[in-house]
Amino acid sequence: MPNNNKELILSAPLSGPVLTLANVPDAVFASGAMGDGIAIDPLNDTLYAPCDGEVIHVARTGHAVTLRADNGAELLLHLGLDTVELQGDGFSILVKEGARVSNGQALLRYDLDKVAQRCKSLVSLLIITNGEHFQARPITLKGVKVGEPLLHIVSKTPNETRDDELDIGIEVSGQIRIAHRGGLHARPAALVRQTAQGFKSRSQLHFGGRSASCDSVMGMMGLAINEQAEVHVSCRGSDAEAALRALLTTLSTALAEETHAQAPQAKTPDRTAEDGVLHGVCTAPGLVSGPLVRLDGIQLPEDAGGHDVEEQRQRLRHALAHVSRDIQQTLENAKARRHVDEQAIFSAHLALLEDPVLLDAAELAIDQGHAAPHAWSQSIDRQCQVLRQLGNALLAERANDLHDLRQRVLRVLLGEAWKFDVPAGAIVATRELTPSELLQLSAQGVSGVCMAEGGATSHVAILARGKGLPCLVALGETLLAQAPGQSVVLDADGGRLELTPSAERLVQVQQIHSQRAALRAQQQTLAHTPARTVDGIEIEVAANVASSVEAGEAFANGADGIGLLRTEFLFVDRHTAPDEEEQRHAYQAVLDAMGDRPVIIRTIDVGGDKQLDYLPLPAEANPVLGLRGIRLAQARPELLDQQLRALLQTRPLRRCRILLPMITEVSEWLHIRQRLDALAAELGLDERPQLGVMIEVPAAALLAEQLAEHADFLSIGTNDLSQYTLAMDRDHAGLAARVDALHPALLRLIAQTCVGAAKHGRWVGVCGALASDPLATPVLIGLGVRELSVSPPQVGEIKDRVRRLDAAQCRRISTDLLNLASAAAVRQACHQHWPLG
Ligand code: PEP
Ligand code: MG
């Protein structure tokens, strides 16, 4: 849409995920006190002008610039939070006050690593400071790249009305299948609401002959939409088409934690009578003992009615605002800790708190003379009932989220203290715990949680697992009849609550508990020593990193080296290519962070799903099968030469190993070896770094023997190897659960790679995600892999796993696994042969 003198489309000044202001971890910006706008968590190191305009202010400390756009909107561009405290260190301003700038012009550059380490957050703001005249509407709430449309600025007209009220714009509709596991429950519904609210149009969801506004989480949940159900979406307004596109994407994209996190297999309660033992479903494992403590919900006294309507409305508004602020705080805290599950849960709670269905019902009850606490409680109870009657277990569990909000708002209304009176070390018994109650209890140091009701997929279950707090649900009514204060044993792994343990049993539990804690501590202390199997085979446990900061973390966690530095991530989202010196500096920083340990640096792997702004590649019909990885040498040979020259200048060269991505035949490797030799000669070097091959397409695995004749080492990229072997897009949400590198076809390719490499005495590593899966460790060792490159926090755990394995036994069993028929069968066999701790 062209800019005219009223409207303006601002382009993204940074690349990275987009956040609404409410989600910015800074109370002032989040409250909108500085003005309306949007935020980006940046991945690049330069801030660009979002439109044409004049620079009207440059912060003395170089962390912020204000522009006046040609339509008069004043735009503050603020890099990071509390960055003023850095006093300009790490920032360089590229423009002066009074200068005229054009859209996309670089305004300031900053040292990403340095600033990220020293400031509170890199989240950066684009704020309209003269918001009394203008209004901002996000164009997208997903990730953006510099220059992409981000914010729509319109000048405010008096008494601005919504599109639908004016009946302007078009109505469009579409149909989509719901990808969210378990259907449209609270978290995905909150996401749909957030998406809808980014647009001016009004949007509705239609399913089973009923409709709900996309503004109402409750309304959408009330449609009882199951996973894979087909729904209709309609949008009406001036930006209806964009709104529809965004909503269809949100509805058809499963949440990250839905596709990746596998909830532990819920054990069905076995209610066979056993004296003094209650059986339940394990939602978070562990074995603990402690005094049983009962928690009860708030009971309201009788309501005589006849209250002053305005007064009660005010009370409720005040309490809702109070709870909203509290939840916002919890949310910010979760964000600061990058705890995705907590963020999703509490964002959903915030959305519920503003839900028109709930608020309308409560206000109606107040209008009828009820007191605010009773009105709120009735409204929640009614919606809980609706959810429970939908016949969907997942939605019924969401009633607990509503119950949580009931409790929180009632506590404010009744003035009750928020803290529970629960001693540290207690085992809490309750009908059903709510998410915020669980966090509160965890902070108070309780040992475990038992619920009479509840389900394994509830939010509480997710939180309990995340907190490592042993938790059983579905223990039945008998739980609530237990006398508080008695010492009990919660054996969550076994799904048992032992109500009358003997003194010996209590001692035994205490001992097991201490042993487990010691084991965890021990895993960390041993993380810095080499990992050998029981029969003496040394396995190098290295780390995958994308920067020198991550390399530092890997070193601190005990990594034996860097198994993969993805160089395309070092300079992603830059507009200009890094020169040779910049590259040398970046690679050297990684080598320096790793002490005397080896560092494997992969040459740039662009194309397919990874694109670089400064390296435009021709559009391709099928980019994953196009000019990617090493094929760049064919398209842009000078770029690869430049990278090789930079790598050849790192020191010491014996620690720098070069890895080539997407190799399919020997000639590609030979060509790079020749280039390396020629460049080394030009630089007067007689030393050469080792040159390895990534095995990530089936052709390379099948030719491993020929490749190993030349290459110094082979490193298997199981992510792409899965994609190309199984013919399943590695980014396809609908296929995510099936892109499993433990598929026997993959194992056969891995086995063939190891056999081929062994013929020439070369070692084989794995740098794909399979290396970080402890279930796969014995299989990979059994097939002949000798280096595992894992995510930095997992180094201790994987080393520990290695030390418990017998490589000869792994070899025998892994050979048999090649004959199984599916990845699921392989996983099952692995669980049997090598159970996880
Ligand atoms: C792989 O494909 O397994 C790999 C390690 O490379 P990337 O994930 O960067 O494609
Ligand atoms: Mg790859």
Side-chain angles (χ1 to χ4, degrees), residues 27 44 124 163 210 228-229 366 383 445 451 460 518 652 680 731 812:
N44 62 326
S124 302
D163 275 355
R210 293 185 300 141
Q228 291 304 317
I366 288 179
Q383 287 310 319
M451 296 185 226
V460 174
D731 292 333
R812 276 195 306 278

Side-chain angles (χ1 to χ4, degrees), residues 564 566 568 602 605 609-610 628 661-662 694-696 716-721 723-724 730 767-768:
L564 174 65
R566 291 176 161 102
E568 61 280 4
R602 182 174 71 184
D605 182 18
D609 56 333
K610 289 182 268 191
R628 59 166 299 196
M662 298 291 297
M694 277 201 82
I695 303 293
E696 51 183 349
I716 304 176
T718 50
N719 308 336
D720 275 316
L721 193 59
Q723 157 162 276
Y724 295 121
R730 60 190 266 186
C767 61

Side-chain angles (χ1 to χ4, degrees), residues 459-476:
H459 290 152
V460 174
I462 295 171
L463 291 177
R465 279 199 294 277
K467 295 274 170 211
L469 196 60
C471 178
L472 284 185
V473 295
L475 283 150

Side-chain angles (χ1 to χ4, degrees), residues 352-371:
L352 284 172
L353 212 52
E354 294 169 4
D355 199 284
V357 172
L358 281 177
L359 298 184
D360 288 354
E363 290 198 355
L364 189 70
I366 288 179
D367 290 347
Q368 289 164 350
H370 290 289

Side-chain angles (χ1 to χ4, degrees), residues 224 263 267 302 347 394 457 519 600 623 811:
K267 294 203 183 99
E302 274 297 301
S347 300
L394 200 75
T457 56
L519 179 72
I600 298 180
R811 200 160 34 245

